[in-house]
Amino acid sequence: MFLAGLSAHARAGFAALAHALVHADGRLSDEEQVILERLRAEGGVFNGVIEDAGIEEAAAAISEPAQQRAAFLECIGICWLDGVIADQEAIVLDRIADAWSIGPADRLAMVEWVKRQAELFDDARLLILAER
């Protein structure tokens, strides 16, 4: 993840966004639980004061445009873990994108990029695990 380059405050903001995304659809998948555990392991990002913040306040913790776009790709990836972006997750993603002024065309391009990366990862896994 890109978290290593963020300040503690920005990491806490991202953790709050991730928390909101994994709970948006009312269920926590095994993959989403792994993400939360990984975030906790990466420097205690849930120890910040932003944990219970709203979406806009949490998004405001990441102020650099390049970091916002990297964070948005990560957010999409979190939603795509189960192979679908639920309606409730899409609503949260839209709020995050609005907070960071990421327009609809860029949002769509970023979602498509994440989907392609997930497909490539799955293809690589099949190649690695294939019997000879």
Side-chain angles (χ1 to χ4, degrees), residues 17 20-21 24 55 72 87-97:
L17 296 174
L21 287 165
I55 300 299
F72 193 65
D87 291 342
Q88 301 91 333
E89 293 169 334
I91 290 168
V92 176
L93 284 174
D94 283 345
R95 288 178 61 194
I96 295 167

Side-chain angles (χ1 to χ4, degrees), residues 7-69:
S7 68
H9 183 69
R11 284 194 308 271
F14 179 78
L17 296 174
H19 188 268
L21 287 165
V22 300
H23 290 94
D25 61 3
R27 57 189 172 83
L28 187 64
S29 71
D30 290 341
E31 295 87 354
E32 291 169 333
Q33 183 63 41
V34 168
I35 289 292
L36 292 179
E37 290 170 9
R38 188 178 343 149
L39 286 170
R40 284 186 186 95
E42 288 193 35
V45 293
F46 282 106
N47 294 334
V49 295
I50 299 179
E51 185 173 353
D52 294 323
I55 300 299
E56 289 74 17
E57 182 183 353
I62 303 172
S63 58
E64 294 292 322
Q67 290 179 346
Q68 291 171 342
R69 295 174 78 78

Side-chain angles (χ1 to χ4, degrees), residues 66-90:
Q67 290 179 346
Q68 291 171 342
R69 295 174 78 78
F72 193 65
L73 287 169
E74 293 282 356
C75 288
I76 296 165
I78 290 169
C79 293
W80 191 251
L81 283 171
D82 56 4
V84 66
I85 297 176
D87 291 342
Q88 301 91 333
E89 293 169 334

Side-chain angles (χ1 to χ4, degrees), residues 31 77 80-84 113-130:
E31 295 87 354
W80 191 251
L81 283 171
D82 56 4
V84 66
W113 183 86
V114 168
K115 290 179 182 180
R116 286 192 311 274
Q117 295 307 306
E119 289 174 6
L120 289 171
F121 179 82
D122 289 342
D123 290 347
R125 187 178 45 177
L126 290 174
L127 291 169
I128 292 167
L129 299 175

